[in-house]
Amino acid sequence: MAARSDKPRLVCYGHNMSFIILKPGKERRLIAGHSWIYAGEIAAVHDKAKDGDPVEIFDHRKRSLGVGLINRKSQITVRRFTTQKEELDKAFFRRRLQAAAAYREPADAQRLVFSEGDQLPGLILDRFGDCLVLQALTLGIDQRKPMLIELARELFKPKAIVERSDAPTRKLEGLTETKGVIFGETDGNVVINVGGVRFAANLLEDQKTGFFLDQAVNYQEMLRFCSGKRVLDCFSYHGGFALYAAQAGATTVEAVEISEAAVVRARQNAELNGLLGKIDFTCANAFDILKKYDVEKRQFDVIVLDPPTFTRTKQNVDDALRGYKEINLRALKMLVPGGVLATFTCSHHISTELLRAVVVDAAADAHKTVRLVKTLTQNADHPILPAIPETEYLKGFLLQVI
Ligand code: SAH
């Protein structure tokens, strides 16, 4: 892997690769380790460069900063793949995929490639048993799909590969949404084992790439507080936290989720694990349920708050913070002494510090003192590059009322 400490090198023009030249000062983010170049930061693009092509990146003094893929249709016009001058050919992508696989402990279900987190901007690759799910989020990756399918078959030997490039962010790259089976045969149905709990999922129909893999480590963090306890899992999707709580011997488990399809799937998962009578599923708005239970002065020992992102833009942060405050306040009010709150945000615009401030504020209003048992983050198969804050998207706290 290229060391970022490498001093930018002086190079001569006249090689085959297209290139871009940055405006003065606009090299700083790249030198600090980020990989994005915005349209407004580019002084000139070599006229040979077609969208999707590799381009060498030069600062205004003509020092090389590595190689990326260009797409003029995107505000993030170049995404750097390497700090070295090297070809972004099949051998390059094979090395990157091998490095991503080597970093992970093999598991039945896992994220094999996490975009910038694995120095493969725009590519998501998940393993679900003997199937893979590929998501292409950028033009550069989209154009390289045939090669990536070949490499994924060579390295991971899947029975089938499903494409889930139905992410709305593709629009920002000038791409339409698409999904389907792109290799082998599958109806999309899989049953996977995540840390001892079995989950059914449909890779073609369920949210994101079929399953939320990012919480696996946090299920384990929470379950040790659940034996003999009353547990409330809000925003439960396919029942993730609720299933672990029930399996760990919770006395009562309630799961609240707004999507009917997700609740159907969650019930199926409970059945798969012999936990059907042990979890009470409610298809409802968690805000309403939390308010109702708060008014009824209900009490719980463990509450999980894992909401979807309340804001996709910086402008909405204040509204989002009010949403986080409301649910955290109600949850904290309902927790008995010794009770545990697992609270999360998956919004890019809400930092760990902002979430901490919300929780401190909510605890004060609820007249509760809380202890930080653990700061929570995404599962290790979603690697974080500290130089690229956008790679750290799931933030949470495990708190105990003392
Ligand atoms: N905790 C889950 C993932 C949660 S994702 C796991 O471990 O797998 C967030 C979920 O919240 C989604 O399933 C979404 O359908 C649901 N959701 C969105 N808005 C909601 C609301 N107002 N009330 C309840 N659920 C909601």
Side-chain angles (χ1 to χ4, degrees):
M1 215 127 303
R4 201 191 45 78
S5 58
D6 290 352
K7 283 260 162 11
R9 289 152 294 127
L10 265 171
V11 292
C12 305
Y13 291 114
H15 51 70
N16 289 327
M17 200 184 288
S18 296
F19 58 86
I20 62 161
I21 300 171
L22 299 177
K23 292 179 181 166
K26 298 304 179 191
E27 69 284 359
R28 284 193 204 114
R29 187 180 325 104
L30 292 186
I31 289 172
H34 210 297
S35 59
W36 295 353
I37 299 168
Y38 290 95
E41 298 173 334
I42 300 173
V45 178
H46 186 217
D47 49 16
K48 256 189 4 198
K50 295 191 300 299
D51 284 343
D53 278 358
V55 286
E56 185 161 11
I57 303 156
F58 293 98
D59 73 2
H60 70 292
R61 290 203 208 114
K62 316 255 182 331
R63 291 179 304 184
S64 176
L65 294 162
V67 180
L69 296 179
I70 186 167
N71 179 10
R72 293 177 188 80
K73 291 188 200 75
S74 174
Q75 272 306 303
I76 304 174
T77 305
V78 176
R79 290 170 200 260
R80 182 169 67 173
F81 279 64
T82 172
T83 56
Q84 307 296 298
K85 179 179 165 61
E86 54 185 325
E87 297 292 331
L88 301 190
D89 54 8
K90 190 170 179 180
F92 172 87
F93 280 91
R94 183 185 289 109
R95 286 196 301 277
R96 280 284 147 89
L97 289 170
Q98 283 170 327
Y103 175 66
R104 289 152 171 86
E105 299 275 342
D108 188 35
Q110 65 188 155
R111 179 144 294 184
L112 287 166
V113 175
F114 181 49
S115 200
E116 280 82 3
D118 286 296
Q119 293 188 291
L120 286 167
L123 176 65
I124 301 287
L125 191 65
D126 287 349
R127 184 210 306 272
F128 293 99
D130 49 15
C131 291
L132 295 177
V133 177
L134 181 150
Q135 193 170 53
L137 296 169
T138 57
L139 177 72
I141 292 296
D142 202 71
Q143 286 184 353
R144 287 164 179 76
K145 264 183 326 204
M147 177 188 75
L148 292 166
I149 293 169
E150 273 177 38
L151 287 171
R153 288 178 58 187
E154 172 193 321
L155 296 172
F156 306 116
K157 310 267 183 307
K159 186 188 85 184
I161 305 178
V162 168
E163 177 174 11
R164 286 300 297 270
S165 297
D166 50 344
T169 51
R170 298 231 324 168
K171 250 201 218 96
L172 306 175
E173 291 274 320
L175 297 166
T176 55
E177 294 183 22
T178 167
K179 67 174 174 176
V181 179
I182 51 175
F183 162 71
E185 278 180 34
T186 176
D187 58 6
N189 287 315
V190 292
V191 174
I192 50 170
N193 182 322
V194 181
V197 169
R198 299 173 75 214
F199 289 88
N202 188 293
L203 305 181
L204 286 158
E205 300 305 332
D206 293 342
Q207 294 183 35
K208 295 218 271 189
T209 62
F211 186 81
F212 293 111
L213 292 162
D214 48 9
Q215 286 286 20
V217 61
N218 300 322
Y219 299 143
Q220 302 300 325
E221 294 293 349
M222 179 236 26
L223 67 80
R224 61 203 171 91
F225 293 96
C226 291
S227 174
K229 298 293 165 66
R230 295 158 295 179
V231 179
L232 177 62
D233 175 15
C234 297
F235 310 93
S236 89
Y237 189 46
H238 290 177
F241 287 95
L243 292 163
Y244 289 89
Q247 199 184 55
T251 334
T252 63
V253 183
E254 287 190 48
V256 185
E257 162 61 46
I258 206 163
S259 145
E260 217 163 292
V263 174
V264 169
R265 180 75 75 195
R267 282 212 179 86
Q268 185 188 355
N269 287 335
E271 196 171 356
L272 257 178
N273 292 281
L275 299 169
L276 198 51
K278 304 220 160 119
I279 307 173
D280 206 358
F281 294 100
T282 307
C283 185
N285 187 330
F287 280 84
D288 297 340
I289 295 287
L290 283 163
K291 184 172 178 189
K292 176 166 174 279
Y293 286 1
D294 178 16
V295 170
E296 292 171 2
K297 299 210 174 343
R298 294 271 299 264
Q299 293 193 317
F300 291 93
D301 302 293
V302 178
I303 300 180
V304 178
L305 300 173
D306 184 19
T309 176
F310 293 151
T311 169
R312 294 197 186 279
T313 62
K314 270 199 192 120
Q315 289 74 38
N316 290 337
V317 166
D318 284 346
D319 285 345
L321 288 175
R322 272 191 287 280
Y324 288 110
K325 166 85 184 285
E326 177 179 338
I327 56 176
N328 281 280
L329 171 59
R330 295 201 192 279
L332 283 164
K333 280 168 79 180
M334 291 191 278
L335 283 169
V336 299
V340 167
L341 173 66
T343 186
F344 298 94
T345 173
C346 57
S347 168
H348 285 304
H349 303 289
I350 310 286
S351 63
T352 310
E353 291 67 34
L354 269 182
L355 182 66
R356 181 194 285 262
V358 165
V359 163
V360 167
D361 199 17
D365 284 7
H367 306 295
K368 301 274 165 105
T369 301
V370 291
R371 161 196 287 152
L372 177 61
V373 179
K374 192 152 194 181
T375 303
L376 304 173
T377 182
Q378 62 223 39
N379 205 46
D381 58 0
H382 294 56
I384 293 165
L385 303 194
I388 306 183
E390 293 83 354
T391 57
E392 182 177 14
Y393 73 98
L394 181 66
K395 288 135 282 188
F397 298 116
L398 194 64
L399 301 161
Q400 186 169 42
V401 176
I402 53 174

